[in-house]
Amino acid sequence: MKNSAYGLEMPAKRTSCVVFSSPHSGRDYPSALMKRTVLNRNVIRSSEDAFVDQLFDAAAEFGAPFLKAAMPRAYLDLNRSAEELDPALIQGARRQGHNPRVASGLGVIPRVVANGRAIYRGKLTMDEARLRIDNYWRPYHARLKSLLAESHEEFGQAILVDCHSMPHEAVAISGNARGNKPDIVLGDRFGASASGVIVDQIEAAFASAGLNVARNAPFAGAYVTQTYGRPGRQQHAIQIEIDRSLYMDEETIEPNANFEEFREILRDVVAEIACIGAQPVRLAAE
């Protein structure tokens, strides 16, 4: 299923409470955006989670829905609040305290792409910003909420796995005491957005595939995990960041020679994660 705001792969039968999502892999760049931007097509894609929708496309085979953005992050960031409007970009937007994301140009309508490169020469109108939010942000989040509600109703819990990719340079300077750099970073907002038991199981799925896993550094999760992670209500949200160098050329934004092999590795990981949510939670009698 696809509309202008998102694509949705639904399983033939829902057998898992897990919902996979990819809010930053959209690549339907509107012609109006490309006419207004000062960037070329390659540079404007630098903040895109390129090919993440393909890496996790086996989700429906294992009984879990997969929700994917249609519009690119440079046009609208689904991992931001609809109220995170940047006064430096949007005419009439009011500054609402200090928000480091907005201040750096990464509000719901981004002002910059990777490495702080400006997308536009001038400002956008408030009407244009609201139109993007109403046409794309609200439908995506409405569908995400409904998918989680369906999981909760059928299985007694919902697990949101929010899929992203990170530049290799983001992890090149990090690592553990042994010097191992993470291939995968799991973000649960330091335990606030998901049960530790579930995060442990997701980490084990990646580790069993031979991948180095870290938690919450350098990415702990943003709007999606903060908003949908409610472990006290049996709703868990975990952000997954994958080192892009494992499967793509970051300069050309093309799959590299390891792409298909890595995609198969993730297929097994997706299958394991889907199994985490395959059994209904036994709720205590009221």
Side-chain angles (χ1 to χ4, degrees):
M1 172 185 173
K2 184 173 182 179
N3 65 20
S4 61
Y6 58 79
L8 176 61
E9 301 292 334
M10 288 295 291
K13 178 176 174 55
R14 195 106 169 241
T15 58
S16 173
C17 77
V18 177
V19 175
F20 291 85
S21 71
S22 177
H24 287 163
S25 60
R27 51 184 174 272
D28 294 348
Y29 287 82
S31 59
L33 171 65
M34 298 311 296
K35 288 176 182 176
R36 295 191 65 172
T37 183
V38 298
L39 304 175
N40 64 40
R41 193 169 189 87
N42 204 53
V43 175
I44 202 171
R45 293 188 67 192
S46 61
S47 59
E48 176 189 316
D49 285 346
F51 314 116
V52 165
D53 55 334
Q54 296 177 40
L55 294 177
F56 287 89
D57 65 0
E61 294 181 41
F62 301 109
F66 185 24
L67 182 67
K68 304 169 286 187
M71 303 305 284
R73 184 184 187 184
Y75 185 78
L76 178 83
D77 194 335
L78 295 165
N79 200 19
R80 298 288 183 266
S81 163
E83 304 308 313
E84 289 185 274
L85 295 169
D86 184 354
L89 177 65
I90 311 299
Q91 294 174 10
R94 296 182 178 179
R95 193 172 302 281
Q96 302 176 358
H98 178 65
N99 183 314
R101 293 188 294 268
V102 173
S104 63
L106 297 173
V108 64
I109 310 292
R111 175 165 40 93
V112 302
V113 294
N115 298 317
R117 290 168 288 192
I119 299 172
Y120 308 96
R121 184 167 285 114
K123 285 194 171 189
L124 305 181
T125 66
M126 179 64 78
D127 285 345
E128 182 169 352
R130 289 300 181 195
L131 194 64
R132 294 186 191 187
I133 291 167
D134 289 344
N135 288 346
Y136 303 105
W137 191 98
R138 297 194 192 284
Y140 183 93
H141 282 278
R143 194 65 184 100
L144 182 55
K145 287 177 185 176
S146 69
L147 289 168
L148 294 171
E150 291 162 12
S151 285
H152 216 284
E153 181 176 352
E154 185 169 353
F155 297 93
Q157 69 171 342
I159 301 171
L160 172 60
V161 177
D162 202 43
C163 308
H164 297 260
S165 65
M166 55 189 174
H168 179 67
E169 66 182 9
V171 293
I173 60 173
S174 63
N176 58 25
R178 299 177 183 174
N180 294 325
K181 297 175 179 61
D183 301 312
I184 308 292
V185 176
L186 303 181
D188 64 358
R189 298 189 65 83
F190 300 94
S193 70
S195 158
V197 173
I198 289 172
V199 182
D200 286 346
Q201 291 175 293
I202 292 175
E203 179 173 346
F206 282 104
S208 67
L211 298 165
N212 292 325
V213 184
R215 294 195 193 184
N216 294 309
F219 304 106
Y223 175 80
V224 168
T225 48
Q226 182 177 10
T227 301
Y228 297 105
R230 295 289 183 268
R233 302 177 193 170
Q234 294 296 335
Q235 182 166 294
H236 312 273
I238 303 95
Q239 178 177 282
I240 296 174
E241 295 276 2
I242 303 172
D243 181 351
R244 292 174 187 164
S245 69
L246 295 172
Y247 65 90
M248 66 176 276
D249 183 315
E250 295 182 75
E251 291 296 321
T252 63
I253 314 180
E254 295 289 344
N256 64 21
N258 300 321
F259 183 82
E260 288 302 332
E261 181 181 355
F262 187 70
R263 189 180 184 186
E264 283 302 309
I265 289 171
L266 284 195
R267 177 185 172 83
D268 293 338
V269 173
V270 167
E272 284 196 49
I273 292 174
C275 285
I276 295 170
Q279 297 299 322
V281 173
R282 285 189 170 83
L283 300 177
E286 295 183 2

